[in-house]
Amino acid sequence: MNATQHIVCIQDLLDEWRTMGRQQLRSGTELIAKVPMDDQQAWMHVVFPPLDTGGIERLERDLGTSLPRDLSALLRGCGGMTLFTGAFHLAGRRCPGISTGDDSLQPFDLVALNHELDVLGWKPKSAVAFAQNSWDLTVHVTGMDRSARDVVRCERTTGRVIEVHEDVFACVAARLSRLDELQLR
């Protein structure tokens, strides 16, 4: 499959999940797949609003490296995701100091994730970690090999490669499809 087919796969899954309910917040954040919980409501998935050019530039400045083209394109389409009540996080740009209201719901912090991995010492400076699996704490990293566009899923502490995808879109589509197959919704 090519990048376009992976994007369609991601969009199709989001559309399927939207049939279980959705709510758009004033901030642009979309809540998807309502889950009844006692007297409260919870949501299975959260999709954050896309980043504009300025948001991408600030993210790159804070990271100290340029985002790969496909990751930048993904973040221009959605500024991060929290799926299956936190089982998978597509990281994005957090705005510090916001603690109330709709704007307090923010994506997992891409800059903090990368700084944490930099401290561990296995991630090349030009590589960018962009997602995390909460159940096993593995991370998804693009740019591990400067000569390839590959995206790898790695052990968080050691960087040992567990699986490889051809690009960011293939990685996200595979992860979402797999979680959907596991009936985690």
Side-chain angles (χ1 to χ4, degrees), residues 50-66:
L51 296 179
D52 59 14
T53 301
I56 296 287
E57 289 170 354
R58 285 187 293 281
L59 194 55
E60 290 176 331
R61 183 187 66 238
D62 293 345
L63 280 170
T65 191
S66 296

Side-chain angles (χ1 to χ4, degrees), residues 149-166:
R149 289 183 0 163
D150 67 327
V151 171
V152 296
R153 179 172 153 237
C154 305
E155 287 183 351
R156 180 186 212 92
T157 55
T158 66
R160 184 179 69 82
V161 174
I162 297 169
E163 64 184 341
V164 178
H165 300 278
E166 66 256 26

Side-chain angles (χ1 to χ4, degrees), residues 124-143:
K125 195 73 173 157
S126 61
V128 178
F130 65 92
Q132 169 180 288
N133 299 306
S134 294
W135 69 90
D136 64 3
L137 296 180
T138 57
V139 293
H140 300 269
V141 182
T142 182

